[in-house]
Structure formats: C-alpha cells, structure tokens
Amino acid sequence: MTTFVLVHGAWGGAHTWRTVRPLLWEAGHGVFTPALTGIGERAHLISPQVGVRTHVEDVVQQVLYEDLGDIVLLGFSYGGMVVTGALDHISDRVRELVYLDAFVPEDGQSVADIAGFAPLELPGLGFDPTIPPRERTFDDPAEAEFAAPRRTSQPARTFTEAIRLSRPLESFELGRTYVKATLDERSPLGPDPFWDAADRYRDHPAWRLHEIDSNHMIPQNKPAELTEILLSLV
C-alpha cells in the first residue's frame, strides 16, 4: 500500500479531492487530504497572519502526527508552494513529489514573484487582507454548482510570503513528476508559471512529465486520468 498526501490549491479545500480519493482507496492505497488554514473547510480561521508557512506547517504536522512514510506527496496549483516548503521537514518520508499544474518555487520565492503579480497594497485603512477566488471552469455543471459556494477567499500573505528550501529540488533523494493541463492556453503577456515549469522539465533527466487533456481544474474534471498517473508512480 502506498500513502498519498494530496494538497489542494488556492481558494480550495480538502473537498477538491472528493472524486479522486475513492479511486485511490479502491486501488488499496491510503489517502490524506489536508485542509489548509483559512480556506475551504477551515475558512473560519482566516486572518492576515495566515501565510504559506502556515500551510507548510499544516501539511508537515499531519504527516508527522499520522507518522506517514513512503509518501507520494502532491501539490495542486498553489499547493506546489506548500509541498516544496515542506521538504526540509519531511523529505525523508517522501518517495515521490508530484506537482499538478502547480507552482515550483526556488528558495526565497513567493507566488507573487513567480507569477509576476503587481505588489499588493500596504496595510492601512480599508485594507482587505484577502484575495477573492478566481473564476474557474468545470466540465460538469453539477461540479460547478458544488464548487461555487465552497471557493473561499485566500489570505493575501500566502501569495506574498516566500518559501524556504535549503537546497535545490533535484538534490533531494526522491522522484519528481510534473503534470500539466494542456487545454489552458499560454499567456502571451508575461510569466506563465505552469507552462514554464512544464517546458523546463519536459526533457529534464531528473523529472517525469505527464500531460492531461483538461483545463486547470484537473482533480474535478479528470479524476480518473489523474488517478491513472498517480497509480503509475506506485
């Protein structure tokens, strides 16, 4: 049995994986889907102090308290920041690291750095320390109806706080896989973090690259195809 730890993206929650979990369970594997502080199931804990390091701790503590090992650790979208930041703490427990259409940061980078976002306004009168959810497209209208009220605002600090990584990703003794959604067009106006990462790892000897015929919302739109890729890593 393999243990999968699946980390959701911005504006999401553990419910992101509700159609993927049963498929992995049916294949005989363990599945953990941490809910990150301040969003989704834990939206009641949102505050200006919640940053990417908070989310790193969410994942690290679940792995340590559950005493998980031989893990396939997956970060979806923003979750790529989180799983990267977790490596210095739990890399000895990780067998395969998977980035699902995700940010792949280096030490000292934030989402804003990688995506080329304009600086957020400084706190002051009327400052809103949250970022409202981006509109997303789902193949199934029922899934769109389910997701809409559950996509909650993201603490702004999670996009501006940098992750820390003591050494390059390729120096960790684990497998590395990138999965790209191919139906999203490349941005012609500037950085396109997910396409840029896919291009970087396409022929890299230390990485595997898989592609899925979907837009960004792979867990909801293509759960069977995603599960097939994950099971190929076991």
Side-chain angles (χ1 to χ4, degrees), residues 84-104:
T84 304
L87 283 181
D88 276 347
H89 308 279
I90 58 170
S91 65
D92 60 327
R93 296 170 178 261
V94 178
R95 174 158 58 86
E96 185 78 27
L97 186 63
V98 182
Y99 291 86
L100 179 60
D101 219 42
F103 293 99
V104 186

Side-chain angles (χ1 to χ4, degrees), residues 14-205:
H15 58 273
T16 296
W17 309 107
R18 70 190 188 111
T19 54
V20 176
R21 281 187 301 240
L23 300 177
L24 292 171
W25 286 333
E26 288 171 10
H29 301 293
V31 186
F32 292 81
T33 54
L36 302 179
T37 300
I39 50 181
E41 296 86 344
R42 303 179 73 192
H44 58 290
L45 298 176
I46 195 168
S47 82
Q49 286 73 43
V50 173
V52 69
R53 297 186 197 180
T54 311
H55 292 164
V56 167
E57 284 296 323
D58 289 335
V59 172
V60 168
Q61 295 301 338
Q62 176 147 34
V63 168
L64 295 180
Y65 273 79
E66 296 281 0
D67 196 22
L68 304 179
D70 199 32
I71 298 167
V72 175
L73 177 62
L74 180 151
F76 171 47
S77 194
Y78 160 78
M81 304 292 296
V82 180
V83 299
T84 304
L87 283 181
D88 276 347
H89 308 279
I90 58 170
S91 65
D92 60 327
R93 296 170 178 261
V94 178
R95 174 158 58 86
E96 185 78 27
L97 186 63
V98 182
Y99 291 86
L100 179 60
D101 219 42
F103 293 99
V104 186
E106 297 178 356
D107 177 55
Q109 285 189 313
S110 67
V111 168
D113 294 329
I114 300 171
F117 291 163
L120 299 175
E121 61 180 301
L122 294 175
L125 291 175
F127 173 70
D128 183 359
T130 67
I131 301 173
R134 291 184 62 181
E135 185 175 343
R136 294 299 189 187
T137 302
F138 299 89
D139 293 347
D140 184 350
E143 187 63 40
E145 184 178 1
F146 174 87
R150 292 169 174 82
R151 287 180 60 76
T152 60
S153 291
Q154 183 85 4
R157 189 174 179 180
T158 63
F159 282 8
T160 59
E161 187 174 49
I163 67 104
R164 294 300 174 199
L165 190 64
S166 62
R167 51 197 170 102
L169 271 176
E170 287 75 18
S171 70
F172 287 90
E173 294 183 4
L174 44 76
R176 287 161 290 271
T177 297
Y178 197 91
V179 183
K180 182 70 189 80
T182 59
L183 295 187
D184 289 332
E185 295 184 359
R186 295 175 185 266
S187 171
L189 301 178
D192 193 324
F194 306 150
W195 274 115
D196 291 346
D199 291 343
R200 190 161 61 245
Y201 303 132
R202 189 172 303 278
D203 298 313
H204 197 295

